[in-house]
Amino acid sequence: MDDYAIVIGLQNYPGIGEPALSGPENDAVKFKEWILSETGGNLAAANVITILSSDYPVNGDSFLNAKPAFNDVFVAFANLRSIHDKNIKSGNGPKVGRRLYIFMSGHGIAPVPYGNKIQKESALLMADVDPTNAGAWQYHFPGVYAASWFADNECFDEVFLFMDCCRDITIVPSSNIFFPPKGNADNAIRFYAFATKWSSRAREKPMKDAAGNISIRGIFTVTLLLGLSGAAAEPDPANPTQGIITVASLKSYLYQNMKGFIAPEFLTADVQEPDVDYSPKANDGRDIVIKTSVLQTFPFMIRVPAGATGSISIMYNGMVAVAQLQVNSAPAELPVNLARGKYLAIVAINGTTRSKIFDVTGTEDTGKEGVVDFN
């Protein structure tokens, strides 16, 4: 009840011919389904604001007066800001809630105010974007600035931003200040994940879901939701039978698995890779828990010399035993299913002991088993 979300999927851009988009609404709808699911974000429906292209009528093929425009998106964020303002005036402090999710999908740019390339912003283009002046402030909504405003002003304990859009560098004539005054608090946990690197492009393609239905989806969002739905879970160090999805595990999952959805012609050049930023930076994000999750396991094969006898111990993070295998002459390959994470395999066979460290990345469920070879 204390978490909020703003979910935006825009794909009708009368002023932009190619590339036309078909996936943003599908992605936004799927993200909202995860947000509302008891096994996902578990948010109350009243706390989720959704903005889709299909919510607005299409008036011809002109970009003039096309919607949603800047103010249509701005009002969603302004409503949360108004709660913040009312709480302060009533003496209840600046806090609005525990966690804020922001999801944006559509055409995007990397706005660069006055040529300042230090600011790594990512912005969603509005439906009424003028193709001759895409960088004008009224035609795009800056995601990083909006997310950071709520973090800097102590509105939420945690702010998560996910943006599935291109980040082409575009010079902007004015700064993106639409929520003044901006605070400078540094207490909130922040996790910002983008479909692509700064100045690069995102992609969509036909995808088949678990039910066999095919629809156009963003590569980033599909991978993101698979990770958030459990594929990015690693054993909780305090309780290895319980899965947790952390900033570190989700970041790793995105980097390792997005390539599996990219069309072959894009794998040799201009490969789409995600971009992730977060704070605090301690422990590489392992201390920032996004959610608990049922552990998914992936097939591995421990390969030992034929005819060997002894035992194999599998230790999660080198400390907690999660599997014990007996080696009785045959077979030379012993299967084991393991959750994502780092492991230590200790093999005691034929009177000698050897060990190897290996990673389970979550890509092993594509039909190819991971192998740890002690031959």
Side-chain angles (χ1 to χ4, degrees):
M1 294 300 296
D2 214 17
D3 292 358
Y4 290 78
I6 298 175
V7 181
I8 306 171
L10 306 188
Q11 61 190 48
N12 294 336
Y13 291 90
I16 301 177
E18 295 294 336
L21 297 177
S22 300
E25 283 211 15
N26 294 332
D27 290 335
V29 168
K30 289 297 184 181
F31 187 83
K32 182 178 179 179
E33 288 177 1
W34 179 85
I35 276 288
L36 294 175
S37 169
E38 290 184 1
T39 58
N42 197 27
L43 267 68
N47 289 1
V48 181
I49 302 171
T50 308
I51 301 173
L52 303 175
S53 288
S54 58
D55 295 333
Y56 299 83
V58 178
N59 297 317
D61 57 0
S62 173
F63 64 87
L64 297 174
N65 300 317
K67 287 182 175 293
F70 182 91
N71 283 340
D72 300 304
V73 173
F74 172 79
V75 71
F77 292 84
N79 285 337
L80 289 182
R81 184 192 64 180
S82 68
I83 299 174
H84 162 80
D85 293 339
K86 289 176 183 177
N87 287 344
I88 291 177
K89 289 179 181 179
S90 63
N92 294 321
K95 188 174 178 180
V96 176
R98 181 188 73 106
R99 178 183 290 179
L100 171 63
Y101 296 92
I102 302 172
F103 177 87
M104 296 181 176
S105 182
H107 276 305
I109 59 172
V112 182
Y114 305 109
N116 177 13
K117 295 185 179 182
I118 296 176
Q119 180 180 338
K120 296 296 182 69
E121 179 63 88
S122 186
L124 182 69
L125 290 178
M126 301 292 97
D128 63 342
V129 60
D130 181 343
T132 66
N133 193 17
W137 69 265
Q138 69 266 33
Y139 298 133
H140 71 272
F141 198 92
V144 173
Y145 183 93
S148 297
W149 192 94
F150 286 104
D152 292 342
N153 286 281
E154 302 179 279
C155 300
F156 294 91
D157 298 326
E158 303 174 358
V159 179
F160 290 177
L161 170 68
F162 304 111
M163 297 191 69
D164 196 344
C165 52
C166 295
R167 303 176 78 191
D168 297 317
I169 297 175
T170 307
I171 302 300
V172 179
S174 61
S175 58
N176 304 312
I177 299 177
F178 52 89
F179 282 149
K182 194 170 189 294
N184 57 7
D186 195 27
N187 301 319
I189 289 172
R190 310 173 196 220
F191 179 50
Y192 302 163
F194 309 95
T196 189
K197 300 291 188 184
W198 193 66
S199 81
S200 297
R201 293 196 164 189
R203 294 187 173 90
E204 60 180 24
K205 61 179 287 189
M207 300 255 195
K208 184 182 293 186
D209 63 18
N213 301 313
I214 297 177
S215 60
I216 304 297
R217 299 289 307 281
I219 289 171
F220 169 76
T221 302
V222 168
T223 314
L224 172 69
L225 290 177
L226 284 172
L228 288 173
S229 298
E234 294 186 348
D236 183 346
N239 178 15
T241 62
Q242 171 67 58
I244 55 172
I245 300 172
T246 67
V247 163
S249 70
L250 183 56
K251 174 185 175 182
S252 172
Y253 183 81
L254 288 171
Y255 275 95
Q256 292 168 343
N257 289 273
M258 275 181 60
K259 290 184 177 68
F261 294 114
I262 298 174
E265 61 267 28
F266 295 120
L267 286 175
T268 55
D270 190 25
V271 175
Q272 179 185 345
E273 288 189 335
D275 194 8
V276 171
D277 191 19
Y278 59 92
S279 66
K281 300 289 188 182
N283 203 19
D284 296 325
R286 294 183 180 88
D287 299 329
I288 305 175
V289 178
I290 300 173
K291 66 184 301 292
T292 58
S293 176
V294 174
L295 281 173
Q296 293 186 15
T297 60
F298 307 92
F300 258 77
M301 194 72 71
I302 310 298
R303 187 174 292 158
V304 297
T309 59
S311 64
I312 302 172
S313 298
I314 309 294
M315 314 287 286
Y316 173 67
N317 274 348
M319 297 180 292
V320 181
V322 294
Q324 186 77 24
L325 308 175
Q326 295 301 314
V327 183
N328 298 314
S329 298
E333 295 181 336
L334 291 90
V336 61
N337 291 319
L338 299 170
R340 280 174 47 85
K342 187 175 289 293
Y343 293 87
L344 173 67
I346 304 173
V347 175
I349 53 174
N350 299 339
T352 62
T353 300
R354 290 184 290 162
S355 63
K356 282 187 178 181
I357 296 173
F358 65 99
D359 291 301
V360 178
T361 65
T363 59
E364 291 78 20
D365 63 339
T366 57
K368 181 179 180 181
E369 296 171 325
V371 175
V372 184
D373 197 339
F374 282 90
N375 280 314

